[in-house]
Amino acid sequence: MPEVPGVQPLLDFLLALPAVTAYALITAGSALENVFPPVPSDTFVVLGAVLADRGSLQPLPVLLCAWIANSGGAMVVFGLARRRGRGVFETRWGRRLLRPHQFRRLTRFYERHGLWAIFFARCLPVLRVIVPTFAGFTGLGAMRAMAPVVAASLLWNGLMLAGGMFASRNVDRVMELLGQVNAWLLLVAAILIGVIIGWWVRSRRDEAPRASSESGDDSEGDGGPRSSP
């Protein structure tokens, strides 16, 4: 077995662990990302793939552990957000984050495009946590959220597992490439976050004219002041 200088000590440590413990670490790492985004679940899947290629673990259990933990963690966070619902944004701090008209627009967006938005966001760092969470706040149906979460997680983790097993004899290079891929994905996520922030700023500015227009419409409809005949 060729030595892999950069991560060899970690691999030696993992190879010495009982299989059950290694599976538990993969499970925990894959789930933790949903509450602490800096923890990359991809790394745990790739390491699990290397261990599977070297005979310490089996590929299918590695995939199942990562897939179920990652999807399950996302749905737990979604469920907690859905339980709190829009009431979070009716508080003082919630209104500072999203004003009522912004929340209504966000809800309409999820109703129309929620499935694809969640699916693609699950392949992007940071957004893979934020997008399903806000889907919960808007009250999106659990099944409509679960379908893209489960599908995207299976696809992504499957690709990571296959890639890790294929290149396990050069795992340092694989981890370097994974870092580069995640860096580009993080850049895409940052651009999308910039777009979201731009929408947030513009939509907050839209509130005053919209409110005054709606106020004018209401006064007319309620029989406001009219000129005498």
Side-chain angles (χ1 to χ4, degrees):
M1 180 184 302
E3 292 295 309
V4 186
V7 293
Q8 191 64 41
L10 176 58
L11 288 174
D12 290 340
F13 169 75
L14 294 173
L15 286 165
L17 291 176
V20 172
T21 305
Y23 288 130
L25 286 175
I26 294 170
T27 301
S30 298
L32 186 59
E33 183 185 45
N34 292 288
V35 293
F36 190 62
V39 175
S41 62
D42 303 341
T43 301
F44 290 91
V45 179
V46 171
L47 288 174
V50 174
L51 296 180
D53 181 70
R54 299 186 179 189
S56 175
L57 303 178
Q58 295 298 316
L60 183 58
V62 169
L63 177 60
L64 290 176
C65 286
W67 176 39
I68 294 172
N70 194 251
S71 301
M75 291 309 298
V76 167
V77 174
F78 167 85
L80 291 173
R82 193 170 189 270
R83 183 176 181 181
R84 297 297 301 274
R86 66 184 62 204
V88 172
F89 297 96
E90 293 174 355
T91 64
R92 178 183 176 185
W93 291 105
R95 284 175 176 267
R96 289 189 177 184
L97 179 60
L98 282 179
R99 292 178 178 173
H101 72 287
Q102 290 179 302
F103 189 84
R104 288 192 296 271
R105 292 184 187 180
L106 187 64
T107 300
R108 288 196 297 270
F109 172 82
Y110 274 108
E111 288 173 350
R112 296 172 183 172
H113 311 293
L115 190 149
W116 291 110
I118 294 172
F119 180 86
F120 287 114
R122 290 301 291 176
C123 299
L124 296 172
V126 183
L127 284 178
R128 68 180 59 167
V129 177
I130 295 175
V131 172
T133 302
F134 274 82
F137 282 128
T138 63
L140 188 71
M143 292 306 298
R144 290 187 64 189
M146 183 182 295
V149 165
V150 168
S153 181
L154 178 60
L155 175 63
W156 188 252
N157 285 306
L159 289 173
M160 292 296 102
L161 179 69
M165 291 188 67
F166 178 75
S168 70
R169 303 296 166 168
N170 193 16
V171 70
D172 258 359
R173 180 57 180 160
V174 171
M175 299 301 286
E176 181 184 344
L177 288 173
L178 179 60
Q180 293 174 359
V181 169
N182 277 330
W184 281 105
L185 292 177
L186 187 59
L187 176 61
V188 173
I191 292 171
L192 291 176
I193 290 172
V195 172
I196 293 170
I197 292 173
W199 168 84
W200 181 79
V201 172
R202 289 195 308 273
S203 62
R204 287 174 81 83
R205 291 173 179 171
D206 289 345
E207 182 182 27
R210 179 181 295 272
S212 95
S213 172
E214 290 176 353
S215 173
D217 292 343
D218 289 344
S219 66
E220 291 179 6
D222 292 340
R226 292 186 175 88
S227 59
S228 300

